[in-house]
Amino acid sequence: MIALVALDAGVSLPASAAGANHARGTTVGIYERDFRIRTHGRPVAAGPVTLVVRNGGPDMHELLVFRDRGRRLPMRSDGLTVDEDAVESFKVGGLEPGEPGTRSLKLDLRPGRYIMFCNMAGHELAGMHTELVVR
Ligand SMILES: [Cu+2]
């Protein structure tokens, strides 16, 4: 696990803060539901980035963040989940599966392209993935 990652499930920011630049970094709103992940899609500044993740349900969802290797993520033999162990060195953080509601994930991101997805069985394949570009 990378030391820069910190989970902070207790913090909740107003939706109006999504995408705004603050002295302490950038806040990005992420919206999950069965079976999509949406964000504003604009590049964000490198440095401290807080993802405010709202799960609209109805299922539990997680959010994993990996640096993009420029290749498709490897799947486990179940064919339904990404083999996280095979790309562990690219992982920058994540939220464990959670019930509908809002949680936040604090990251410290270098410039580059990142992929965010839910790795509960079949969810990534169903469409629960998106990108984040950091400049
Ligand atoms: Cu999910």
Side-chain angles (χ1 to χ4, degrees):
M1 182 58 77
I2 295 168
L4 297 173
V5 175
L7 298 180
D8 187 353
V11 173
S12 168
L13 297 176
S16 59
N21 281 296
H22 299 288
R24 288 168 298 174
T26 304
T27 299
V28 179
I30 309 285
Y31 179 60
E32 296 186 301
R33 66 172 171 83
D34 299 13
F35 292 99
R36 294 285 179 271
I37 302 177
R38 289 210 194 109
T39 184
H40 59 55
R42 295 186 299 274
V44 302
V49 175
T50 300
L51 305 182
V52 178
V53 183
R54 183 160 75 91
N55 175 14
D59 279 8
M60 294 176 74
H61 294 295
E62 62 182 0
L63 187 80
L64 303 178
V65 184
F66 283 74
R67 284 186 68 85
D68 189 357
R69 306 177 307 150
R71 276 177 278 161
R72 179 140 180 80
L73 290 163
M75 301 301 283
R76 293 190 183 114
S77 57
D78 64 8
L80 294 174
T81 52
V82 171
D83 186 351
E84 295 172 40
D85 293 340
V87 287
E88 177 68 30
S89 61
F90 294 88
K91 187 174 182 178
V92 295
L95 293 172
E96 294 295 318
E99 298 285 350
T102 301
R103 297 183 288 171
S104 61
L105 174 61
K106 293 183 178 182
L107 304 170
D108 196 344
L109 299 178
R110 291 183 280 148
R113 185 176 294 269
Y114 295 82
I115 47 180
M116 301 186 286
F117 61 97
C118 175
N119 205 28
M120 295 177 69
H123 291 201
E124 193 271 344
L125 286 174
M128 292 198 71
H129 54 83
T130 189
E131 292 184 349
L132 181 69
V133 173
V134 177
R135 287 182 177 158

